[in-house]
Amino acid sequence: METLEKEGGYLLYLRQEGRGIGLNAKMDAYVLQMAGMDTYQANLELGFEADLRDYSCAAQMLHALGHSSVRLLSNNPDKAMQLERYGIRVAERVATGIHLNTHNESYLRVKKEKTGHTLAI
């Protein structure tokens, strides 16, 4: 994770691949996706949860920096829920932009429909 102090706050970036299943399993998930499964179905087929990412380290960093609330730049509602669970108040959730095209439209729709991502599609 990297931090960048700006205007009295911090930008935290978690270096996470996929949905927390590891790179080898992620490659297996891609094979299943090419066969027609969506990203969540592929993870489940491989015996994983749909999304295994954990944001406790982000909460720990924020606590260490003396922050108890954040403006969260994310379309993912799970990030907000996890931060709240770890004692970080999400004062505002700011949706990030997307570049919708024929190659990612199905993927983005699945994220919106299955996990409530705030995507303008």
Side-chain angles (χ1 to χ4, degrees):
M1 178 178 276
E2 297 176 11
T3 65
L4 173 66
E5 186 170 0
K6 183 177 179 180
E7 298 177 18
Y10 294 88
L11 172 67
L12 303 180
Y13 176 79
L14 296 177
R15 293 182 181 176
Q16 296 179 323
E17 57 69 36
R19 292 196 169 78
I21 65 174
L23 292 176
N24 289 332
K26 187 66 178 171
M27 297 306 292
D28 293 337
Y30 283 144
V31 171
L32 294 173
Q33 289 173 50
M34 288 187 292
M37 290 186 181
D38 69 45
T39 183
Y40 301 105
Q41 292 168 329
N43 280 17
L44 295 172
E45 180 68 20
L46 293 171
F48 298 103
E49 293 179 28
D51 192 338
L52 286 172
R53 289 176 292 181
D54 175 59
Y55 302 102
S56 60
C57 64
Q60 291 168 356
M61 289 177 75
L62 289 163
H63 286 300
L65 292 167
H67 293 281
S68 60
S69 68
V70 294
R71 290 181 67 229
L72 179 63
L73 304 173
S74 177
N75 296 325
N76 185 346
D78 185 49
K79 288 179 186 176
M81 287 187 292
Q82 284 197 42
L83 287 173
E84 295 271 357
R85 188 177 326 128
Y86 293 122
I88 300 294
R89 184 177 71 84
V90 177
E92 180 183 5
R93 201 167 114 207
V94 181
T96 59
I98 59 170
H99 177 71
L100 184 65
N101 60 52
T102 57
H103 303 289
N104 68 9
E105 182 176 6
S106 176
Y107 170 76
L108 293 172
R109 285 193 188 284
V110 166
K111 288 175 77 164
K112 182 176 183 172
E113 293 167 5
K114 288 197 173 183
T115 57
H117 279 64
T118 51
L119 300 171
I121 55 174

